[in-house]
Amino acid sequence: MATMKAWVLNGIGDLRLMRVPKPAPGRGEVLLKVTACGVCGSDIPRIYEKGTYKFPTIPGHEFSGRVEAVGEGEDERLMGTMAAVFPLLPCRACPSCEVGAYATCSAYDYKGSRSDGAFAEYVCVPTWNLIPAPEGLSGEELAMAEPAAVAIHALRRGGLDIGDRVLISGAGPIGLMLAQWARAWGASQVLLADVDDSKLAFARENGFADVVNAANEDVQTWTMERTEGAGVDLAVEGAGHPASWENCLRAARPGGRVVLMGNPSGPMGLMQNGYWEMLRKQLTVVGTWNSDYAELPKNEWKLAVRAMAQGKLQIPPLITHKVALEELGEALGMMRDRTAFYNKVMWTIGKGEG
């Protein structure tokens, strides 16, 4: 039996590099040789605190690969194709799926949390989930299609318009992706807030000068100074923290929009004044989840890959750590313990063999 190397989560905190059976594609599937897989911020609590939906599981949902084999009845011309992968496997039968709202599918599967993902040399995925890559895009860039699509979905949910002033609360990988999209989309101002000076310094290095440490300055006052007292048209909460949410509400202009995006690490509550902000300013507050994969009105994954190919998104500077598969466990420990600054960490075939 053919085997492969994979990081297998056998229980909460029990992640081991193991030899496991190499998967074989079934009908409607292809076998991908993984070229790169990013570590999502959600992977750290998933591995070390919460666990996956079953054990054992191979984590990893931000990935790209090259088609090495096709299942029965699949087009052999796919062989050798480089692709990004939509990791959500919808049931295709529930009311949400019937209208193409796959992110709200009531019976979905998901690579890396509900079924085996790409912290491995190979992974099988449905052909339907492939986004073939234009020539010239690297595996590392394609592995960032997932956060890029999530970011564009949030901005579309917030109704971003040309000339909008935008505040992004949270300057991690998604925050910087949001900032890049907003700028490419025609925002007149892109402001970034965080409580980590190293993240803000990294944002400056990537061309975003208007940054503030929300632990040291009043975000509302700072925002008003930079928007001539108007406030922002759109604020995106990307940190998953109550204070971050309240800062977004306070920074928004009357009639403005606030998008709730950050995965909360604990209870999300508002002070009375934060609630008053929503009422008195008549704010529109919306949630966002995952991304749109349906062709109508827009497939956000294809938009993301196309924007990368056109140079509208600058992906390589956002990747601070590239490691071989064998080194991934050490990199995950670094992220868990925060022993070094990082933005996007990924394992890539370019750091290992072949």
Side-chain angles (χ1 to χ4, degrees):
M1 176 185 293
T3 63
M4 68 174 183
K5 289 181 285 188
W7 286 94
V8 181
L9 188 65
N10 297 282
I12 295 175
D14 183 9
L15 185 71
R16 285 176 266 159
L17 183 62
M18 302 173 65
R19 276 275 175 190
V20 298
K22 180 180 175 180
R27 180 176 290 275
E29 292 184 331
V30 300
L31 175 69
L32 286 185
K33 183 176 178 63
V34 179
T35 52
C37 183
V39 181
C40 178
S42 66
D43 285 325
I44 302 305
R46 180 176 293 120
I47 291 169
Y48 296 108
E49 299 171 17
K50 299 177 181 179
T52 47
Y53 287 83
K54 63 179 179 62
F55 299 114
T57 306
I58 300 171
H61 63 271
E62 299 180 358
F63 63 100
S64 64
R66 189 178 298 276
V67 177
E68 186 167 286
V70 299
E72 182 183 350
E74 291 304 295
D75 191 343
E76 292 191 359
R77 290 176 295 181
L78 288 170
M79 294 285 289
T81 299
M82 277 284 291
V85 180
F86 179 54
L88 191 151
L89 283 62
C91 72
R92 311 280 289 278
C94 70
S96 288
C97 286
E98 286 179 354
V99 296
Y102 303 117
T104 55
C105 171
S106 59
Y108 67 93
D109 198 351
Y110 205 89
K111 290 293 181 183
S113 61
R114 296 171 184 256
S115 60
D116 287 340
F119 285 1
E121 292 181 288
Y122 296 91
V123 63
C124 284
V125 299
T127 306
W128 182 81
N129 292 68
L130 296 179
I131 303 92
E135 288 294 327
L137 284 181
S138 68
E140 290 91 348
E141 289 171 299
L142 288 169
M144 292 285 274
E146 196 272 347
V150 168
I152 193 174
H153 186 65
L155 293 176
R156 291 184 66 220
R157 290 280 297 154
L160 180 64
D161 195 8
I162 291 173
D164 274 355
R165 296 156 296 200
V166 180
L167 170 70
I168 299 159
S169 183
I174 286 283
L176 293 181
M177 196 77 75
L178 286 163
Q180 285 201 25
W181 270 122
R183 178 174 286 174
W185 209 321
S188 61
Q189 285 182 287
V190 179
L191 314 177
L192 281 156
D194 205 290
V195 295
D196 187 332
D197 281 331
S198 59
K199 290 183 179 180
L200 297 174
F202 188 73
R204 290 191 194 95
E205 291 172 12
N206 280 274
F208 296 98
D210 284 327
V211 301
V212 63
N213 188 316
N216 301 332
E217 294 189 53
D218 182 84
V219 173
Q220 183 181 38
T221 301
W222 178 86
T223 301
M224 294 303 168
E225 289 172 352
R226 279 152 185 78
T227 58
E228 300 177 340
V232 295
D233 302 285
L234 172 63
V236 183
E237 196 296 300
H241 192 277
S244 173
W245 181 14
E246 191 145 343
N247 282 335
C248 287
L249 297 172
R250 295 175 65 234
R253 66 165 172 81
R257 290 102 61 201
V258 176
V259 177
L260 304 182
M261 180 184 190
N263 276 326
S265 57
M268 292 289 285
L270 277 181
M271 301 291 287
Q272 186 179 33
N273 286 342
Y275 193 81
W276 277 118
E277 293 283 330
M278 291 192 291
L279 298 184
R280 291 178 173 176
K281 290 181 182 176
Q282 299 191 109
L283 299 177
T284 298
V285 180
V286 300
T288 184
W289 188 252
N290 211 295
S291 52
D292 280 347
Y293 194 68
E295 294 303 313
L296 290 175
K298 291 181 177 68
N299 184 314
E300 291 163 347
W301 282 74
K302 291 183 179 178
L303 282 176
V305 170
R306 192 176 303 124
M308 292 178 190
Q310 295 170 345
K312 294 178 181 177
L313 293 181
Q314 297 300 312
I315 299 302
L318 302 183
I319 305 169
T320 52
H321 292 72
K322 299 179 185 181
V323 300
L325 181 61
E326 294 79 3
E327 301 168 327
L328 182 57
E330 183 179 353
L332 291 166
M334 176 273 293
M335 296 175 67
R336 176 196 61 199
D337 300 334
R338 301 180 182 274
T339 55
F341 169 76
Y342 64 88
N343 187 61
K344 176 55 67 174
V345 177
M346 65 172 55
W347 93 258
T348 169
I349 198 170
K351 296 296 289 184
E353 296 180 0

